[in-house]
Amino acid sequence: MTDHFKERSTRDYHQKQLFSKEDLERRESLCTHEDPPFCNAACPLKLDVKAMLAAVSDGDFAKGRSLMEFISPFPEILAWGCDAPCRKVCRRSEIEESVNIPAIERAIMQHSMVPKAKGLLKLRKKQRLAVFGSSLFTLALAADMAAKKYPVTLYTEAEDEMDLMRRCADLPDEILQRQLPLLRKADLKICYSTIVDRAFLENEEKNYDLVCGAEYLKTDEVDPVTLCDDGNRVFPHAEKKYSPILQSFFDARRAAVSLERIIQRIDPHKSRPQEGETESHLFTNLTYIPSEEAVIENGVYSREEAIREATRCIQCECVECFRGCAYLRAFKRYPRLLTREIYNNTGIIMGDHMMNKALNSCSLCGQCTVTCPNGYDMADICRAARENMVDTRKMSLAVHEFALLDMLFSNNEGYLARKQPGHETCRYVYFPGCQANGIAPDTVYETYRDLMNRKEGGVALMLGCCSVIAKWAGRRELYEEQISFLKEEMHKLGDPIIIAGCPTCRSTLREHFPEVIGLWDVLEEIGLPAGHETLTNEVMIHDACSARNDAATQDAIRRIVSSLGGTVKEGTWSKERTACCGYGGLVSYVNREIASQMSEECVKEDPDATYVTYCMACRDRLKRQGTDAVHFSELVYGISADDSPGLSQKRKNRKQLKEKLLKEDWKEETMEEKPAFTYELSEEVRQKMEDRMILESDLLETIQAYRDTQMAVYNEADETLTTQHRIGNVSFWVRFQEEENHYKILSVYSHRMTVRTR
Amino acid sequence: MPNEKTYYSLEAGQNLVCHKCGVHLIKGNAVFEYLDNAFPVELPVCPQCGFVYVPEELAMGRVLSVEKVLEDK
């Protein structure tokens, strides 16, 4: 056993930053899921328009009102006087008329009550404020500061409440009348009929900690951000970008922030929240949005009309990656958040690595990079995180050990490399791939015979694994070792052109070998063999994720399927948008549940269709899911493989294929080591072993160890024996009944812990 | 170490016999070790050869879940 499989503690002080700060931010910035919808971003007052419309469409007008009250002390004035920058950027406007947001706001005001409760009890502050003036700006500013619990006195020339409201907004009396309860509730001391002149101001100024609002006090230019003059007093801004009412509320809100900063003796320029309209890069896919007719506002919307109009809101959000990825949906995280959590996970020295399962459950298939409008590459992040954790010794060996040992099996006991009999040199080598060897050995056998017969130049054979398993596991050193091994072996064969039977092998080997073509390319060149099956029905093609960006391969497979007589029905999730079957990235070893969901995802468009695959792992996983799936080579050679061989059967198949080929083509007999005993396994035990990832070879080795040592526990109650044997990092236990040289296996289980007496 | 904490204790019962030594298993001191962690336990042990018996329920239950936790530490 090599050092790669030495189990060690994952608590290690080694630390390696996964990405630089800039790199992390650059990656995260590609995901716009958390960007605000355009309507929210366009509102200078930061109204959560999307939430408001969602509330109204649910009939919750009270929630709609509370969202509006959050941004303005007099929301109804705003609803009537806002020029609605939100509406101008509504994405529905690209299909038809945009959602009439201000009309819905007016309806909210009409159909909801002013809340009686005063909200959370806040302590009254000490600093006293005087606000002078009779404009909407001064009234809103006074109300905003009063809401922050500053004792505020508003001095106005207006004679009474209605007069004040009329001076503030040019709206019908009926509407203004409805504002009076809010004015009374605003906790303001209002001094009416005050003649505000310079003398009065100078006289009153000393009674307050801060005065603001009156034009008479203005000493210099107003700062465009803080709305302060050089004497730290606030005024409305000269530049008017929005309608007078919206501008006044916006200015008042910004001025209130400045006033609070001044009172706290902080530079009003510093630590301000993001103000005004912002930019959003949110992507909204309008493809799936049905057309819905706008509701005409005749007077104010009735409740029903408002609900209907609010339902027209698309509720903009970017969910492009979620649509096709079972992995992201299972972890309920969009790439931005997932990346940050995975990044943090790699930095943990002591403590639980909560995201290990997440970063090991990505199939590394690259679908998100295609579906994301900005090309987010979650696969690269998960792969980098795995490599990082392996490098810093924080990745437990247990996660991928079974798959890695399977790879080593393929490149040892299951490995074979030979030149074509009778050929000194071979121009080609056929590399079927470990999954094809394990799942469809007879098809591989027949394919090689055909290639030897019909492909000129000599075709060597190499049965093995392309090493992608080590790459997926993040074990770079092991990967390099295996690639070096393959290079040496290829050199021994005379560095032939590789004919890959598997698209994953092809893309992996292409990184290290000059010329790697696909079996499909060769079949197109030499034509289909006699005896191929004929398709009579419509089929769907499940494209291999490793051929996602390989249009030539996708097209070649379609042409072959057509030549076989099949009509290809293209699905939404085919070609570059294809999903992984659940084998990629070793998900099926780490997270079976998600791997199953991935398989289901592949056939969700039509679960009853026949799916032609060109990756044997896809064929196996889809078939396991109960889908009618067939590998194109099974059709081409008319040889159907077993339904779904188990883990042990796959290994047996590889070994038997090797022995059969050695015997028939190279006339080499292999000495098969048969156990000196017989055994029987029920289907139930077999399934248990499959679920627990225990191989039959482990079972046999354990029985053999028992035969050698006689170490076992005898249970007098059920007359069974239980023995234990440690192989590598795993202790295997077998419960059985013994009859001379025959063993009836009752159960098999294992654990990784060691146990001893103390 | 009589005061040492024991994480798990399992009676040997009357039925378990060491196949090699021919004697009944008794409740004895054992220790599970994994990734630099050690958990003292009491399990059925052969008093002669020291064979420690880990029943299936324990292996696939507590042991498995503790392994998973330690692997993510």
Side-chain angles (χ1 to χ4, degrees):
Chain A
M1 183 148 295
T2 63
D3 190 48
H4 295 298
F5 294 90
K6 186 179 179 328
E7 191 128 60
R8 48 163 72 91
S9 169
T10 48
R11 271 183 277 184
D12 198 293
Y13 285 95
H14 274 79
Q15 188 78 343
K16 196 172 134 189
Q17 201 179 10
L18 179 60
F19 305 123
S20 67
K21 190 169 168 277
E22 295 73 31
D23 191 17
L24 177 68
E25 283 173 1
R26 182 189 60 76
R27 287 169 188 267
E28 287 179 335
S29 69
L30 296 176
C31 177
T32 63
H33 177 77
E34 289 167 33
D35 273 33
F38 294 96
C39 47
N40 289 22
C43 178
L45 288 170
K46 305 257 172 261
L47 173 64
D48 192 344
V49 183
K50 181 177 155 184
M52 183 185 76
L53 296 179
V56 173
S57 70
D58 288 344
D60 191 351
F61 284 64
K63 188 181 173 191
R65 174 182 271 273
S66 76
L67 287 166
M68 289 196 64
E69 282 177 346
F70 188 69
I71 59 144
S72 168
F74 299 99
E76 191 167 3
I77 294 183
L78 180 65
W80 284 99
C82 183
D83 54 339
C86 52
R87 207 184 163 189
K88 297 180 189 115
V89 294
C90 173
R91 293 298 309 272
R92 191 170 272 283
S93 67
E94 291 166 43
I95 312 171
E96 56 206 347
E97 199 172 331
S98 56
V99 179
N100 195 344
I101 300 162
I104 293 169
E105 290 176 348
R106 291 190 277 273
I108 289 172
M109 291 301 135
Q110 187 96 332
H111 305 299
S112 64
M113 304 287 286
V114 176
K116 285 185 184 142
K118 286 187 172 175
L120 289 172
L121 182 70
K122 286 186 195 162
L123 285 178
R124 216 170 162 77
K125 289 173 178 131
K126 284 180 188 161
Q127 294 88 345
R128 300 190 317 134
L129 258 78
V131 182
F132 299 94
S134 309
S135 65
L136 185 58
F137 169 76
T138 48
L139 177 62
L141 177 62
D144 276 348
M145 291 310 285
K148 289 175 194 279
K149 288 294 166 193
Y150 290 99
V152 180
T153 310
L154 173 67
Y155 291 92
T156 171
E157 289 158 352
E159 288 168 9
D160 55 25
E161 289 172 334
M162 268 314 282
D163 187 24
L164 173 62
M165 294 316 293
R166 283 190 200 111
R167 287 167 188 254
C168 286
D170 185 15
L171 293 172
D173 272 7
E174 185 197 342
I175 297 166
L176 296 176
Q177 197 81 42
R178 288 203 293 269
Q179 309 314 309
L180 300 183
L182 283 174
L183 185 65
R184 286 169 206 146
K185 211 182 139 194
D187 201 13
L188 278 174
K189 186 182 169 195
I190 306 176
C191 298
Y192 293 103
S193 306
T194 311
I195 306 300
V196 184
D197 56 17
R198 186 160 284 277
F200 178 82
L201 288 170
E202 280 166 9
N203 196 32
E204 285 293 309
E205 203 170 359
K206 62 181 182 292
N207 298 327
Y208 294 95
D209 294 285
L210 211 59
V211 294
C212 47
E215 292 290 316
Y216 319 102
L217 293 166
K218 206 168 179 178
T219 50
D220 208 339
E221 286 280 297
V222 173
D223 185 285
V225 176
T226 62
L227 303 184
C228 292
D229 68 355
D230 59 0
N232 274 350
R233 295 171 177 129
V234 293
F235 303 97
H237 195 250
E239 188 195 328
K240 306 294 178 200
K241 193 174 174 187
Y242 307 106
S243 67
I245 285 177
L246 177 57
Q247 187 72 46
S248 297
F249 280 118
F250 178 42
D251 287 349
R253 191 120 300 193
R254 285 191 291 165
V257 172
S258 297
L259 282 187
E260 199 161 36
R261 296 281 180 283
I262 293 165
I263 290 166
Q264 292 165 340
R265 297 179 196 284
I266 304 169
D267 180 352
H269 277 100
K270 299 247 170 86
S271 59
R272 297 183 74 88
Q274 201 180 35
E275 288 169 331
E277 61 191 78
T278 51
E279 207 180 349
S280 175
H281 298 101
L282 184 70
F283 176 81
T284 307
N285 192 340
L286 299 174
T287 320
Y288 307 100
I289 310 297
S291 167
E292 274 175 57
E293 206 180 321
V295 183
I296 312 281
E297 191 190 23
N298 197 359
V300 175
Y301 279 152
S302 66
R303 270 185 76 91
E304 290 64 34
E305 284 171 333
I307 291 172
R308 228 166 63 226
E309 181 64 8
T311 317
R312 291 180 69 236
C313 171
I314 294 167
Q315 291 289 309
C316 288
E317 61 171 349
C318 182
V319 292
E320 295 311 293
C321 54
F322 256 44
R323 286 187 210 279
C325 180
Y327 160 67
L328 289 172
R329 287 204 303 271
F331 283 93
K332 298 188 179 72
R333 283 166 176 85
Y334 285 89
R336 185 193 187 97
L337 178 62
L338 190 58
T339 303
R340 182 57 68 124
E341 290 189 17
I342 287 175
Y343 174 85
N344 291 342
N345 191 75
T346 58
I348 296 169
I349 294 173
M350 296 292 258
D352 292 332
H353 292 83
M354 307 290 274
M355 295 306 282
N356 277 4
K357 191 130 198 170
L359 67 92
N360 282 321
S361 296
C362 171
S363 69
L364 311 178
C365 80
Q367 186 198 43
C368 53
T369 314
V370 175
T371 52
C372 170
N374 296 321
Y376 209 100
D377 194 348
M378 207 58 230
D380 186 51
I381 290 160
C382 289
R383 189 169 35 236
R386 290 180 200 181
E387 286 173 358
N388 178 288
M389 293 192 71
V390 169
D391 292 349
T392 55
R393 300 181 196 166
K394 291 186 183 65
M395 179 73 86
S396 162
L397 185 57
V399 185
H400 293 128
E401 190 184 47
F402 189 92
L404 292 169
L405 289 173
D406 204 48
M407 173 187 77
L408 293 188
F409 176 87
S410 295
N411 286 345
N412 285 286
E413 290 102 310
Y415 179 76
L416 177 68
R418 288 283 189 282
K419 287 180 184 165
Q420 184 174 340
H423 283 70
E424 274 298 302
T425 56
C426 288
R427 190 140 188 258
Y428 302 96
V429 59
Y430 176 44
F431 193 97
C434 62
Q435 291 306 301
N437 301 342
I439 295 160
D442 295 340
T443 318
V444 171
Y445 175 84
E446 202 53 42
T447 308
Y448 184 52
R449 307 212 81 71
D450 183 41
L451 291 176
M452 282 196 293
N453 288 336
R454 298 200 293 142
K455 184 77 182 152
E456 285 178 16
V459 183
L461 178 71
M462 189 180 279
L463 301 180
C465 170
C466 67
S467 318
V468 75
I469 287 175
K471 191 180 183 181
W472 282 339
R475 309 254 161 196
R476 277 188 285 200
E477 269 182 55
L478 184 58
Y479 177 64
E480 292 304 328
E481 275 176 32
Q482 293 297 305
I483 290 293
S484 301
F485 164 74
L486 292 179
K487 279 186 176 170
E488 281 169 30
E489 292 291 294
M490 285 292 179
H491 191 63
K492 285 183 201 165
L493 295 175
D495 293 319
I497 296 168
I498 302 170
I499 301 171
C502 159
T504 304
C505 297
R506 184 175 183 237
S507 65
T508 307
L509 295 175
R510 267 194 166 177
E511 291 174 24
H512 307 282
F513 296 93
E515 202 168 349
V516 188
I517 56 176
L519 173 63
W520 43 92
D521 297 320
V522 176
L523 284 171
E524 280 224 291
E525 182 204 323
I526 62 176
L528 296 180
H532 65 74
E533 282 195 19
T534 305
L535 289 169
T536 50
N537 53 341
E538 192 177 61
V539 296
M540 293 188 84
I541 290 180
H542 171 66
D543 287 287
C545 55
S546 51
R548 182 180 307 288
N549 300 313
D550 185 355
T553 295
Q554 295 161 6
D555 293 343
I557 296 295
R558 280 161 178 75
R559 284 193 297 271
I560 290 173
V561 169
S562 297
S563 307
L564 292 166
T567 317
V568 178
K569 180 183 159 197
E570 289 294 352
T572 317
W573 300 99
S574 67
K575 296 192 172 175
E576 76 279 4
R577 290 167 66 82
T578 189
C580 172
C581 64
Y583 183 78
L586 307 178
V587 193
S588 57
Y589 296 98
V590 178
N591 195 332
R592 286 187 194 188
E593 208 180 312
I594 289 185
S596 291
Q597 290 167 13
M598 288 176 176
S599 308
E600 282 171 26
E601 188 77 23
C602 296
V603 298
K604 67 178 176 188
E605 268 191 303
D606 189 354
D608 300 322
T610 299
Y611 283 83
V612 177
T613 75
Y614 44 105
C615 168
M616 203 54 90
C618 299
R619 178 262 189 216
D620 184 49
R621 289 214 46 91
L622 298 193
K623 198 127 191 167
R624 221 171 264 278
Q625 213 63 33
T627 309
D628 181 19
V630 61
H631 191 267
F632 84 101
S633 67
E634 290 176 88
L635 297 171
V636 166
Y637 291 100
I639 293 173
S640 188
D642 286 349
D643 262 4
S644 298
L647 297 165
S648 297
Q649 191 59 44
K650 280 187 192 175
R651 284 201 181 187
K652 269 191 205 168
N653 285 349
R654 287 180 199 138
K655 231 174 150 184
Q656 283 168 2
L657 172 67
K658 171 185 169 180
E659 285 159 7
K660 186 176 173 187
L661 284 159
L662 272 177
K663 190 176 169 187
E664 294 191 7
D665 290 325
W666 290 280
K667 314 296 174 209
E668 289 178 34
E669 286 284 352
T670 36
M671 292 296 289
E672 200 188 333
E673 280 178 38
K674 282 200 169 168
F677 54 89
T678 54
Y679 62 99
E680 60 179 278
L681 275 172
S682 68
E683 200 42 53
E684 189 192 340
V685 176
R686 228 177 255 283
Q687 190 54 50
K688 210 184 254 187
M689 287 171 66
E690 191 73 14
D691 293 342
R692 295 172 178 179
M693 295 207 285
I694 298 171
L695 297 168
E696 251 178 85
S697 54
D698 299 327
L699 162 72
L700 297 184
E701 215 176 300
T702 306
I703 293 286
Q704 188 55 52
Y706 158 74
R707 286 165 62 89
D708 295 341
T709 64
Q710 291 295 303
M711 298 277 267
V713 172
Y714 179 68
N715 189 332
E716 291 176 329
D718 59 8
E719 298 177 342
T720 59
L721 282 156
T722 306
T723 187
Q724 187 263 132
H725 179 54
R726 189 144 182 107
I727 306 170
N729 295 317
V730 183
S731 293
F732 293 96
W733 291 82
V734 181
R735 195 160 68 84
F736 59 94
Q737 281 170 332
E738 185 181 24
E739 282 172 36
E740 290 194 28
N741 278 333
H742 183 76
Y743 297 87
K744 184 179 179 187
I745 312 299
L746 302 169
S747 189
V748 187
Y749 56 99
S750 68
H751 53 78
R752 296 182 71 87
M753 287 203 189
T754 56
V755 64
R756 59 175 175 83
T757 51
R758 63 182 156 105
Chain B
M1 282 182 282
N3 293 329
E4 197 177 354
K5 187 180 172 186
T6 296
Y7 284 84
Y8 186 84
S9 186
L10 183 69
E11 295 298 328
Q14 302 296 312
N15 299 323
L16 300 175
V17 178
C18 177
H19 181 63
K20 190 179 175 189
C21 309
V23 294
H24 275 92
L25 265 55
I26 55 160
K27 183 160 105 174
N29 290 330
V31 61
F32 274 117
E33 287 171 325
Y34 190 49
L35 304 173
D36 294 353
N37 296 276
F39 303 96
V41 291
E42 289 174 327
L43 288 176
V45 173
C46 170
Q48 280 187 27
C49 69
F51 185 96
V52 185
Y53 174 57
V54 180
E56 184 167 354
E57 303 75 46
L58 176 60
M60 300 317 293
R62 285 278 290 273
V63 171
L64 184 67
S65 61
V66 173
E67 278 175 4
K68 296 262 175 255
V69 170
L70 294 177
E71 283 159 11
D72 286 340
K73 283 284 175 200

